[in-house]
Amino acid sequence: MYNYIYYLRACGRTRSFRGAALTHILILKIGGIRVINEKMRELGSKRSTIRELFEFGKALAEKRGEDSVFDFSLGNPSIPAPKEVGEILTELISSTDPAVLHGYTSAEGALSVRESVARHIRECFGCEADATNVYMTVGAAAALTSSLHAVVCPDEEVIVLSPYFPEYKVFIEATGAKVKEVPCNTTDFHPSVPDIEAAINEKTAAIIINSPNNPTGAVYTEDDIKKIAELLERRCAELRKVIYIIADEPYRELVFDGRKVPFIPNYYRNTIVCYSYSKSLSLPGERIGYVFVSPKATESYSVFKAVCGAGRALGYVCAPALLQRLVERCQGMTSDLSAYRENRDILLSALTEYGYTVSPPEGAFYLFVKSPTKDALSFSEAAKRYGILLVPGEDFGMSGYVRLAYCQSRDVIMRSLPYFKALASELGILK
Amino acid sequence: MYNYIYYLRACGRTRSFRGAALTHILILKIGGIRVINEKMRELGSKRSTIRELFEFGKALAEKRGEDSVFDFSLGNPSIPAPKEVGEILTELISSTDPAVLHGYTSAEGALSVRESVARHIRECFGCEADATNVYMTVGAAAALTSSLHAVVCPDEEVIVLSPYFPEYKVFIEATGAKVKEVPCNTTDFHPSVPDIEAAINEKTAAIIINSPNNPTGAVYTEDDIKKIAELLERRCAELRKVIYIIADEPYRELVFDGRKVPFIPNYYRNTIVCYSYSKSLSLPGERIGYVFVSPKATESYSVFKAVCGAGRALGYVCAPALLQRLVERCQGMTSDLSAYRENRDILLSALTEYGYTVSPPEGAFYLFVKSPTKDALSFSEAAKRYGILLVPGEDFGMSGYVRLAYCQSRDVIMRSLPYFKALASELGILK
């Protein structure tokens, strides 16, 4: 019965209660009484909508041909890594003693790698930073789980600004804490500071800030960040506790029209930055990123050690050594990201022309399109009939919208336009 | 106060209570009242004895020269990866579209990689296996944490056979479960089945079997495994629950004198194998391994999904893609492991000759040496005076012994011998 009790505690919802109870009884009938941690089985079994769309697309492609599917469901970069990535990897492999190259690094990462990250942070953002503030991670997801487990305790709350990346909920709930959703405004999907204030209480441990944003493409302004920082400073003092900003920044370099992404540690000292090279260097499968704990955070060294301890408890021995050595030499380098801006311009202008309502994204590689039908699920279903795969906003904690990932090839985007137009016509919005 | 309460619950020890309380008050005085999850800070701050020895060795080398330090503390392979590893990596990089090579794989791993692992399991061990039973992981530590979180629930117990790899305790406690230590016999460090039986109760969720063993080098026989399997089958039926064997097998290929390592799924169906290529291919820093859930396990598919779900909750998006493609082509390949056997023979024969008591290791690359002094800490301290770094057994849950990792260069081993002899003379055991 242990998994059952745990499950109830972790979910605390009647609907899940029933599902768990049913599954539990099913397992009871088939095997011994207690097989596995049911919560984990559910996490591993529940196919995300994104994954379902992907499978639908594959099946459709087999039936009607690749050309008839326009898959805008996944945030998988289509632009290859810069050619220097292959050159540096090859050179590292040919010129380094394999026992050293592939050997353990320290748990925090190789010192020279952490120094290169710190130098980049100092030079780009004018922010105090050295190697002792940098913990190399197995991508941004590992950075987030290590940071969350470090600063969040069971029964606390973590604020997320909806719409938000769905895995935040999984990662937060794994710490035993609860997700507190605060909707952004629906004009440009920037945060509402009064709404954040209303959500803060003595249980608030952290707020996740993801700018440039997945799924909306919003890039928070300096003014946004300043206001959030002022609010948090005030509430921390009143509540006599630290509330962290966990800044999830895999899209940092993907900004358009000369916008700047404020580096949050420069505005709020209790900030933990989670970074990944997945999008900037087009290396999403290689899992390499870092945590940067602001040296100005309260008890910064203890916070850093807690991040390391959490990483250890989660099973992260070190970030992949070869990839560490690679990014040491790729600081500030990016893939040719201009194609994403061009994709945005093409789609934004076409979709607007066809009568869709889209807030112009300021960064990342997503359009968050308002559903012309009553609900986004039916919009997504209608689009599927044209071979267009769009993720309903429900997955991101905001209904009435779909997410369109335009990190696709130009060819797919160009060929999709007539279908978007036909869909607009069917839905009666074509101007 | 949340971290404080959590800490108490997680540790449940008076001594830790005091430590936590003090730290907590210290932080109270310095910053806001609640800064971080204290348990995680402790995990990140507490330097392991192994790490301390490593730092001591570095300082000594600087003072007296590299030649005066004989570091037997770390299990870091000295034998390089086979040359094919570099060749395959270079070929993959030069011949594959980088957007594909470095792109996300599915969370379980690329299908062709999982198929190659399953084929290897079928061919080597005659065990039913296909890709749907294989989950590629970020090394063995990730395999262990994903498996433990999948099948263990808070307040349950996991049996470990002492002496054991110290991180087991960290990983088990991170699930909220407790460690139950069962000492092996001290003749050859094989398990005592009656003692395991005495440790099993209705809270037992799993037992970790690590053969070839770190730190003793014991390789459990077919008879050992059969007896444990019979015991577990009987107790599972009586308790009406599944008790898993989690088989941690990074040293599988490191066996001597023609010994065989029984493949546990062939003897006990509720087995989850955790494997790593760290030692067999000398790639410890690259973090690549897998979980194999026996297809004969009760509700095998659900168990597999729970492992995937746990990996997801812990922040594992996929195992590093390039390394997945590498091991796909390295199934059954190993570094030249014969050097480890020769190292063992040299040290075992010399140490025995000098009067030390050592059970001959049957595999892995460790000697577990009986301390000639009252306690192993003083033995380790005495050895340090000769520049010899040995890890006291306390770290592995068994006092009175030290661990000697002989995955060192031959040169270091040969030069260390006169110092071992002088140490034996000082300790009055030299024959």
Side-chain angles (χ1 to χ4, degrees), chain A residues 9-22:
Chain A
R9 198 170 70 196
C11 293
R13 295 199 308 265
T14 316
R15 190 166 55 78
S16 304
F17 174 94
R18 288 207 184 136
L22 282 173

Side-chain angles (χ1 to χ4, degrees), chain B residues 17 78 92 142 145 156 159 163 191 235-237 244 259 264 279 282 286 300 316 318 347 363 365 373 375:
Chain B
F17 174 93
S78 62
L92 283 167
T145 53
E156 291 196 316
I159 293 173
R235 294 299 283 140
C236 286
Y244 294 90
R259 278 194 177 71
I264 303 180
K279 316 295 178 179
S282 299
E286 303 301 359
S300 173
Y316 294 101
C318 63
L347 276 164
F365 43 47
T373 61
D375 71 292

Side-chain angles (χ1 to χ4, degrees), chain A residues 374-390:
Chain A
K374 207 175 54 192
D375 71 292
L377 286 168
S378 67
F379 177 39
S380 170
E381 284 302 315
K384 274 161 78 175
R385 290 195 293 272
Y386 292 84
I388 298 171
L389 310 188
L390 306 169

Side-chain angles (χ1 to χ4, degrees), chain B residues 195-409:
Chain B
D195 289 351
I196 296 173
E197 173 150 23
I200 293 174
N201 60 46
E202 70 285 352
K203 288 191 171 185
T204 309
I207 174 170
I208 299 181
I209 301 279
N210 171 221
S211 163
N213 187 267
N214 172 9
T216 66
V219 177
Y220 300 170
T221 62
E222 188 176 31
D223 191 53
D224 290 331
I225 300 301
K226 276 185 176 166
K227 283 184 179 149
I228 293 172
E230 281 164 18
L231 165 66
L232 293 179
E233 289 288 5
R234 179 163 51 77
R235 294 299 283 140
C236 286
E238 286 164 6
L239 293 165
R240 301 227 357 99
K241 72 178 297 192
V242 175
I243 299 172
Y244 294 90
I245 289 182
I246 297 179
D248 180 27
E249 304 201 335
Y251 302 99
R252 162 163 287 284
E253 292 80 5
L254 274 93
V255 279
F256 310 130
D257 315 323
R259 278 194 177 71
K260 295 265 179 252
V261 182
F263 192 63
I264 303 180
N266 289 338
Y267 301 87
Y268 185 66
R269 60 198 186 92
N270 287 304
T271 296
I272 301 172
V273 176
C274 296
Y275 183 80
S276 161
Y277 297 89
S278 289
K279 316 295 178 179
S280 60
L281 287 174
S282 299
L283 299 171
E286 303 301 359
R287 315 310 304 145
I288 184 77
Y290 63 78
V291 171
F292 169 67
V293 176
S294 169
K296 293 183 179 158
T298 305
E299 286 286 285
S300 173
Y301 187 71
S302 292
V303 179
F304 183 79
K305 285 296 175 186
V307 174
C308 298
R312 180 182 171 191
L314 298 172
Y316 294 101
V317 173
C318 63
L322 178 61
L323 274 291
Q324 285 192 48
R325 304 296 180 188
L326 170 71
V327 300
E328 176 177 357
R329 292 173 56 182
C330 295
Q331 292 303 324
M333 193 187 292
T334 65
S335 306
D336 176 13
L337 305 174
S338 62
Y340 295 134
R341 185 184 49 71
E342 290 158 25
N343 286 355
R344 178 199 69 155
D345 292 343
I346 293 165
L347 276 164
L348 184 64
S349 123
L351 265 59
T352 308
E353 183 194 321
Y354 305 155
Y356 295 95
T357 306
V358 197
S359 166
E362 301 153 338
F365 43 47
Y366 305 103
L367 288 178
F368 207 54
V369 185
K370 193 161 165 51
S371 172
T373 61
K374 206 175 57 194
D375 71 292
L377 287 168
S378 67
F379 177 38
S380 169
E381 285 302 315
K384 274 161 79 175
R385 290 196 293 273
Y386 292 84
I388 298 171
L389 309 188
L390 305 170
V391 185
E394 277 78 1
D395 269 34
F396 305 96
M398 186 173 276
S399 56
Y401 293 83
V402 297
R403 185 189 79 170
L404 185 165
Y406 57 79
C407 49
Q408 258 292 5
S409 73

